[in-house]
Amino acid sequence: MRRRRTGMIAVVSALGVTAALGGCGSSGESEDVTLRLVAADYGDSDANSSQKYWDALVKGYEADHPGIKVEVSVYSWTDVDRKVKEMVAAGKAPDMAQIGAYADYAAKGRLYTADELLSIPVQANFALQLTDAGERQRVQYGLPFASSTRLLFYNKTLFTQAGLTPPKTWNQLAADAEVLKADGVKFPYALPLGPEEAQAETMQWMLSGGGGYTDDVGTYAIDSDENVKTFTWLKDELVGKGLTGPTAPAKLNRADAFAAFTRGEVGMLSGHPTLMKMAAAKGVKYGMVPMPGADGQSKSTLGVADWMMAFKQNGHAEQVGDFLDFVYSDKNVLAFSREYDLLPVTTSASEAMTADTDDQDLAPFLEELPTAELYPVDKTSWAGVSADVKERMGKAVGADGSPAGVLGALQAEASAADNAS
């Protein structure tokens, strides 16, 4: 069982129930405190910048918590992880950071654990698989902040014109792609293995073939028989037959694939909730189904989460924990999820979204979350492995590529990095 915050830390649940301060030497008085949070921007314009979300949230919090100020600096995803890394290296860590990875900071002892910060109801409310992904050596340091899953998007208009139904197996996907190609569709299946997000498309296909980046005990298994078979099939049956479009997978980024889908140039691709709004804005009629697997519907899909963490350097555990309890209230979790078409990271907010008819467009993604598999973010080696996958995986399915060779090289380097860490 996870323990309650102790000592001088107040326990404040998401429902606003406050426990008395514990420990000795407490005078009952508190000094003014300014907390600093660095966060990532999920918006695509000034109109929906995450800065607006945080400004509204902080205003509400400060109104009920005199003496506590919260300053939030929002940076693009291109810059935010680097910015936090630079701040930590300079000895000026923020109190909190909402970024892409936590494991390296946890391994160096820089972070508070979740149970040093959060009240029991809030910590217990995280979706179980997200809690597990936020743990390093069975201790939770990473607090999930936003999540998403993947589904197969298909262009309904193109499918109707071709007399097709959504595929449930790889062979059906390839057959549908053959028909779409014959009908002149530019990208029958868009396969973005370019440097932007190749690690996501790679893992999605690994999972659909019964593999993954790691095995059941968390050891890297990048060159497993299942993964080699998967990428050999992709190379021979999709890429080799010209069913992935005129842009080589190694040069096709996710953003470009999504843009092509909104132009009606893509028959099928793996996508997350943001693509719904993009497609609808361009008048593209789309459908969504679970990703096909080798012999039937894939047993699991890719899940992605971003992370909140709290640094020990400045102290303020009590105030940070109280603020984070507020951040993870249903009101705030739902507001963020709805603004950016993301999935809630807490059980109660997920249940609220499932029950709300206005949120039914996200229901298929929510249904996939309980069986979703996440990146091995608990490994300090993962950032380097992910970068290597982005650089090389597209070449594995190219005309001169060797899936077994590329996967084998990635495995060797991943194992070495993991052992070194």
Side-chain angles (χ1 to χ4, degrees):
M1 176 178 290
R2 302 182 186 278
R3 62 183 176 83
R4 184 182 301 272
R5 294 205 307 259
T6 56
M8 296 292 293
I9 301 175
V11 179
V12 185
S13 78
L15 299 178
V17 181
T18 307
L21 287 172
C24 59
S26 172
S27 66
E29 298 178 358
S30 61
E31 298 179 357
D32 289 353
V33 170
T34 297
L35 302 178
R36 292 176 175 83
L37 165 64
V38 174
D41 195 352
Y42 291 81
D44 55 14
S45 67
D46 290 342
N48 69 343
S49 168
S50 292
Q51 189 72 57
K52 291 189 174 183
Y53 168 81
W54 285 112
D55 287 349
L57 183 149
V58 166
K59 183 179 180 181
Y61 180 79
E62 290 179 347
D64 291 332
H65 296 79
I68 299 179
K69 299 294 183 184
V70 184
E71 296 179 356
V72 183
S73 301
V74 173
Y75 298 92
S76 72
W77 273 109
T78 304
D79 299 323
V80 68
D81 288 272
R82 174 183 55 80
K83 189 70 175 179
V84 172
K85 184 177 181 179
E86 291 172 351
M87 294 172 71
V88 172
K92 299 179 180 180
D95 295 285
M96 296 164 282
Q98 182 268 300
I99 51 178
Y102 67 88
D104 190 48
Y105 299 121
K108 294 177 180 177
R110 297 184 182 276
L111 302 181
Y112 285 112
T113 65
D115 57 4
E116 289 176 311
L117 298 167
L118 301 177
S119 62
I120 290 175
V122 171
Q123 187 177 359
N125 199 22
F126 291 127
L128 180 59
Q129 72 274 35
L130 299 180
T131 293
D132 290 344
E135 292 182 346
R136 177 173 170 79
Q137 298 178 343
R138 300 184 181 277
V139 178
Q140 186 180 4
Y141 297 92
L143 314 180
F145 183 75
S147 67
S148 68
T149 55
R150 304 295 168 101
L151 293 170
L152 181 73
F153 281 70
Y154 65 95
N155 185 308
K156 279 189 172 182
T157 301
L158 297 177
F159 266 62
T160 299
Q161 291 173 349
L164 300 174
T165 56
K168 296 181 179 180
T169 68
W170 289 355
N171 287 339
Q172 290 172 1
L173 185 150
D176 286 352
E178 288 275 14
V179 175
L180 292 169
K181 179 184 178 183
D183 283 356
V185 176
K186 188 174 183 178
F187 295 91
Y189 179 87
L191 184 67
L193 290 175
E196 179 190 5
E197 206 190 29
Q199 84 284 2
E201 188 77 10
T202 295
M203 184 168 174
Q204 182 61 73
W205 278 98
M206 285 178 169
L207 293 171
S208 69
Y213 284 117
T214 59
D215 60 20
D216 292 340
V217 295
T219 302
Y220 280 118
I222 297 173
D223 64 345
S224 67
D225 290 344
E226 293 86 355
N227 291 341
V228 172
K229 289 178 181 177
T230 294
F231 282 89
T232 299
W233 185 89
L234 276 174
K235 180 179 186 295
D236 295 343
E237 302 301 325
L238 284 188
V239 181
K241 294 183 178 179
L243 302 179
T244 54
T247 304
K251 296 183 178 180
L252 182 64
N253 283 323
R254 182 199 65 184
D256 297 326
F258 278 19
F261 188 84
T262 68
R263 296 193 298 267
E265 298 173 352
V266 175
M268 298 172 280
L269 83 170
S270 171
H272 53 64
T274 302
L275 185 55
M276 295 189 299
K277 183 179 293 186
M278 294 173 62
K282 297 293 186 178
V284 174
K285 296 181 179 179
Y286 62 89
M288 303 178 298
V289 294
M291 284 295 296
D295 301 311
Q297 179 180 315
S298 179
K299 294 181 175 60
S300 60
T301 189
L302 169 65
V304 177
D306 302 319
W307 303 96
M308 178 75 75
M309 62 211 70
F311 288 89
K312 291 180 178 180
Q313 179 178 317
N314 304 318
H316 305 321
E318 176 187 343
Q319 294 87 353
V320 169
D322 187 65
F323 176 68
L324 289 177
D325 276 352
F326 181 76
V327 167
Y328 285 105
S329 67
D330 281 356
K331 174 185 176 181
N332 291 321
V333 171
L334 287 169
F336 183 85
S337 301
R338 286 165 174 158
E339 176 65 29
Y340 300 106
D341 285 326
L342 292 165
L343 304 183
V345 296
T346 63
T347 300
S348 57
S350 293
E351 291 172 349
M353 183 172 279
T354 299
D356 194 326
T357 56
D358 291 338
D359 293 319
Q360 290 310 296
D361 55 344
L362 286 170
F365 295 95
L366 283 167
E367 291 171 3
E368 294 292 307
L369 190 57
T371 59
E373 298 281 345
L374 281 78
Y375 301 130
V377 290
D378 60 319
K379 292 180 174 291
T380 58
S381 58
W382 169 243
V385 172
S386 176
D388 289 342
V389 170
K390 291 179 181 180
E391 179 182 351
R392 302 184 193 179
M393 206 60 229
K395 301 172 185 176
V397 298
D400 300 323
S402 167
V406 171
L407 290 168
L410 289 170
Q411 171 66 28
E413 293 177 12
S415 296
D418 204 34
N419 291 334
S421 65

